[in-house]
Amino acid sequence: MNHVTANQAWNTQKVKRQNKLDFAKQKGFSKQVNAQQARELLETVISCGDRVCIEGNNQKQADFLSKTLSQCDPEKLNDLHILQSVLAIPSHIDVFEKGIASKVDFSFAGPQSLRLAQLVQQQKISIGSIHTYLELYGRYFIDLTPNVCLVTAHSADPYGNLYTGPNTEDTPPIVEATAFKSGIVIAQVN
């Protein structure tokens, strides 16, 4: 029988999240960040080796945040495990070419499938699995929980509440899985 010792911490995910948020606050970030500071924010709250979910499907993409992530410094941010349903826009693959991300779990590659195949051949990308949408979204709550998610919304209030607009099928499970496991949610809003 295993016994709990006084040195075991049961809130390591919560502590890691709070440390990232405290560091971001020390650097002057608040809940609202302007577009010009987005890269610095990502380099502050994402850690090397994190699982990062980038929202994107056939209807909407967190395109600004995806492009911003692809512009991060690979010396500061690398070995990311990307989770996303569709690899649809160039920045989804750019993060692998630039050495920012190394592994991906996804459902569909669409127009980026040729670039994806080339990177697999060059061993610049490791594919965890190719999932059905339902499996991928379900695993966000089990073993592929994002440490950070990058989502898109129509608008937000000062408290962080999001209005996702008419297309909300992807956003809630991504945000809930991330937030419930003490991850960080970053939303691009109009």
Side-chain angles (χ1 to χ4, degrees):
M1 179 184 296
N2 292 340
H3 295 281
V4 177
T5 66
N7 294 335
Q8 289 178 311
W10 297 96
N11 63 347
T12 55
Q13 290 173 320
K14 185 177 180 180
V15 169
K16 284 180 186 178
R17 177 185 187 272
Q18 192 58 54
N19 288 342
K20 288 180 178 187
L21 293 176
D22 289 345
F23 185 52
K25 190 174 183 179
Q26 289 172 7
K27 292 185 105 180
F29 292 110
S30 64
K31 282 192 176 195
Q32 296 179 5
V33 176
N34 66 45
Q36 293 76 24
Q37 295 177 298
R39 177 180 164 180
E40 185 182 0
L41 174 69
L42 296 182
E43 291 176 349
T44 299
V45 300
I46 299 174
S47 300
C48 295
D50 272 354
R51 283 186 306 271
V52 177
C53 181
I54 304 171
E55 182 181 21
N57 61 27
N58 295 328
Q59 289 86 27
K60 66 179 184 174
Q61 304 286 333
D63 55 347
F64 171 77
L65 289 172
S66 177
K67 184 175 181 180
T68 302
L69 181 64
S70 75
Q71 295 169 345
C72 287
D73 182 350
E75 293 293 320
K76 295 179 181 177
L77 205 53
N78 54 63
D79 200 30
L80 299 182
H81 181 172
I82 301 296
L83 312 168
Q84 65 189 106
S85 56
V86 177
L87 301 170
I89 58 179
S91 60
H92 291 162
I93 302 297
D94 293 345
V95 293
F96 298 99
E97 286 181 339
K98 295 179 179 180
I100 297 166
S102 59
K103 185 175 182 180
V104 67
D105 276 79
F106 68 103
S107 296
F108 179 69
Q112 299 304 315
S113 58
L114 177 59
R115 286 180 70 201
L116 176 65
Q118 291 168 339
L119 289 173
V120 168
Q121 287 178 334
Q122 297 167 11
Q123 298 181 344
K124 289 187 176 184
I125 187 171
S126 168
I127 296 176
S129 289
I130 302 172
H131 308 269
T132 65
Y133 286 108
L134 292 177
E135 176 193 10
L136 182 62
Y137 283 87
R139 289 184 66 185
Y140 287 163
F141 290 91
I142 301 167
D143 63 330
L144 290 177
T145 306
N147 303 107
V148 177
C149 71
L150 310 176
V151 298
T152 184
H154 185 273
S155 57
D157 68 18
Y159 307 104
N161 297 304
L162 301 175
Y163 170 65
T164 57
N167 180 356
T168 62
E169 64 189 38
D170 291 354
T171 313
I174 295 169
V175 169
E176 289 170 5
T178 305
F180 290 167
K181 288 269 184 124
S182 298
I184 295 176
V185 176
I186 300 173
Q188 72 180 44
V189 297
N190 293 341

